[in-house]
Amino acid sequence: MMVAMTASRREETGEEISPTVRSEAAFRAAREVMPGGVSSPVRAFGAVGGIPRFIAKGAGAILTDLDGNSYTDYVGSWGPLILGHADERVVAAINKAAAKGCSFGAPTEAEVRLAELVIARVPGIEMVRFVNSGTEAAMSAVRLARGFTGRDAIVKFEGCYHGHVDPLLVKAGSGLLTFGTPSSPGVPGTATADTLVVPYNNLSAAKELFAEHGKRIAAVLVEPIAGNMGCVPPAEGFLAGLRSLCDQHGSLLVFDEVMTGFRVAAGGAQQLYGVQPDLTCLGKVLGGGLPMAAYGGRREIMEQVSPLGPVYQAGTLSGNPLATAAGIATLEALAEPDVYETLETRSARLAEGLSQAARSAGVPVYQTRVGSMLCVFFAEGPVTDYASAVRSDTKAYARFFHAMLEHGIYLAPSQYECMFVSLAHTDDLIESTIQAADEAFDEVARG
Ligand code: KE4
């Protein structure tokens, strides 16, 4: 679908009207009443400039904004919409559940059904607790790991994001192995004093850390495929190396699969790479676009969670009937034959087409992909960690982003995010995306 946005003209005056006039007006109104005019920072287009498109509707792989411009969507609400927007199975399940009530604050069979689906698919999960966001999943998994081990230190990796809970809003200090310093005002140093930060894919740095602090380390928290500095796959042996370090030192290995869960394989990255964590965080696809997330893992650990155990965690809307219905419909749809093969074939074609388009235009890019999550770094590469990711030419990315938007392709408004392919991205849409990229890379090359 090639939808070039062109200005229209006022009938009476002949004055040219911007093709985003309604989004501009909505953005002005939004900034009066919400910080930055958005409910989450990345949506404000701060990293790429321009006017964020206010969305009127989504259908399949297509988003339509307030001005009637349509786009092939590769954000997919940052990962949840692996079936595409307004999938009829998901909408029907939500409508059916809503007719019976939106929230009870009491147990339901739907939660049991979704829990059984999760446990059947995710190798490392024997018991699961539902929460409302990836942030809640990660914060709860950290508290549980600390409660289970009786230790306080948490290891995370530079460039990985696990939501906005205080202990995880840290930036690497000056040295290679350093206790994190807060990355946001409002996060007290005491909150991050037990958070250790090492470079992603650097197993020797992790080994050194354990040699010095191993006895204090409750858990290693890692995105098994990093998706928040762009898409950075794990180096050969990295995840297995973390597994053995945790085993040697009595620490827990926690996979944050909020983005990769049910995305890169039915059982997530832990199934794809054959490395089993002690705890797993889930979200995004799990809710099919509704607020649904979870943490789960080995039974002996999960049995420490209240009310069964002493580690407290709660939530008014946890296991919400509408979100649970959407999650069940989504996971059941993902059990259809050849789903992951289809995602792989189409995503591989897209990646190959994007790389070819960049080469033809003479634009240096380094592309990464795992299944239906991918990224084009505007960098010579290789990109293997945060330090190499931030060498990307973000200005070139911004030009590419806007050129693609002009051609009706909606990418993440930041170099440090992923593209997501859904089952609604047909072969034709993939091909039209590649055609748009041919033109967009040429525009980038022309500067
Ligand atoms: P939420 O609290 O936003 O549901 O999940 C936090 C989170 C945890 N773990 C991983 C691996 C994640 O990717 C996320 C959230 N991802 C970002 C996109 N990179 C959400 C987009 C946003 O913040 O608006």
Side-chain angles (χ1 to χ4, degrees):
M1 164 180 289
M2 299 280 281
V3 180
M5 289 185 293
T6 50
S8 52
R9 287 189 175 282
R10 285 193 202 292
E11 289 297 315
E12 55 283 6
T13 62
E15 174 199 349
E16 193 165 286
I17 305 172
S18 153
T20 57
V21 64
R22 291 178 189 274
S23 280
E24 290 164 44
F27 195 33
R28 278 195 297 276
R31 282 179 297 184
E32 287 301 310
V33 294
M34 296 186 287
V38 292
S39 297
S40 196
V42 70
R43 303 179 192 175
F45 276 26
V48 293
I51 299 295
R53 300 310 191 257
F54 278 62
I55 302 303
K57 76 166 189 169
I62 307 303
L63 281 178
T64 303
D65 68 16
L66 291 184
D67 294 281
N69 305 303
S70 293
Y71 310 90
T72 303
D73 175 24
Y74 287 96
V75 176
S77 182
W78 303 99
L81 300 175
I82 198 166
L83 302 181
H85 293 278
D87 178 274
E88 59 190 22
R89 296 160 292 190
V90 176
V91 172
I94 294 169
N95 288 341
K96 187 173 174 204
K100 293 188 275 184
C102 296
S103 181
F104 311 119
T108 63
E109 282 186 320
E111 291 161 88
V112 179
R113 170 70 179 141
L114 186 57
E116 289 168 345
L117 286 172
V118 169
I119 291 163
R121 286 206 199 155
V122 184
I125 295 185
E126 297 175 321
M127 190 175 258
V128 66
R129 167 63 60 86
F130 295 120
V131 292
N132 302 281
S133 70
T135 296
E136 255 193 286
M139 67 186 269
S140 306
V142 163
R143 182 182 308 130
L144 176 57
R146 285 171 160 165
F148 180 76
T149 60
R151 300 176 180 181
D152 293 339
I154 296 290
V155 178
K156 79 171 289 288
F157 294 87
E158 195 179 25
C160 287
Y161 176 69
H162 308 286
H164 60 90
V165 67
D166 280 1
L168 301 176
L169 281 185
V170 294
K171 57 178 181 252
S174 51
L176 192 57
L177 325 172
T178 55
F179 280 92
T181 52
S183 62
S184 165
V187 176
T190 50
T192 61
D194 289 314
T195 309
L196 283 153
V197 185
V198 288
Y200 192 74
N201 274 330
N202 191 329
L203 194 55
S204 55
K207 283 177 180 164
E208 274 183 60
L209 194 73
F210 268 95
E212 194 174 342
H213 300 285
K215 289 187 176 42
R216 296 189 47 215
I217 294 173
V220 171
L221 175 60
V222 65
E223 289 182 61
I225 303 160
N228 287 285
M229 51 176 140
C231 176
V232 178
E236 184 69 33
F238 176 60
L239 298 177
L242 294 180
R243 176 70 277 173
S244 63
L245 275 174
C246 287
D247 292 342
Q248 288 162 34
H249 294 271
S251 308
L252 299 186
L253 180 59
V254 184
F255 275 8
D256 178 346
E257 296 224 44
V258 167
M259 188 182 286
T260 56
F262 316 111
R263 161 70 58 185
V264 297
Q270 56 195 269
Q271 181 185 59
L272 190 67
Y273 294 108
V275 175
Q276 190 161 308
D278 301 295
L279 290 174
T280 301
C281 304
L282 298 168
K284 295 184 191 280
V285 170
L286 178 64
L290 268 67
M292 165 63 72
Y295 64 103
R298 286 179 16 222
R299 181 175 294 277
E300 66 170 323
I301 303 173
M302 291 304 293
E303 287 179 341
Q304 296 302 308
V305 178
S306 64
L308 189 54
V311 178
Y312 192 71
Q313 181 270 312
T316 301
L317 298 175
S318 296
N320 172 272
L322 275 60
T324 314
I328 291 168
T330 300
L331 294 195
E332 287 179 343
L334 290 175
E336 294 295 314
D338 302 330
V339 156
Y340 290 95
E341 291 75 7
T342 303
L343 285 169
E344 176 59 26
T345 305
R346 293 186 185 160
S347 304
R349 170 60 189 139
L350 175 64
E352 187 261 333
L354 293 174
S355 283
Q356 180 52 48
R359 266 194 307 277
S360 305
V363 175
V365 298
Y366 181 78
Q367 194 183 89
T368 55
R369 179 177 73 86
V370 181
S372 56
M373 61 188 273
L374 60 149
C375 168
V376 176
F377 288 102
F378 280 70
E380 298 285 350
V383 175
T384 58
D385 60 8
Y386 182 73
S388 47
V390 295
R391 288 194 206 109
S392 302
D393 180 346
T394 52
K395 288 188 172 49
Y397 179 81
R399 287 202 301 276
F400 180 68
F401 169 83
H402 282 289
M404 291 290 267
L405 205 57
E406 285 291 314
H407 286 87
I409 309 297
Y410 189 81
L411 303 180
S414 164
Q415 167 71 90
Y416 305 120
E417 299 289 351
C418 294
M419 290 173 74
F420 297 104
V421 178
S422 81
L423 288 162
H425 285 85
T426 60
D427 294 332
D428 286 352
L429 287 176
I430 298 289
E431 293 308 317
S432 62
T433 302
I434 293 168
Q435 285 168 25
D438 276 329
E439 304 198 23
F441 277 117
D442 280 341
E443 289 166 41
V444 171
R446 290 197 295 272

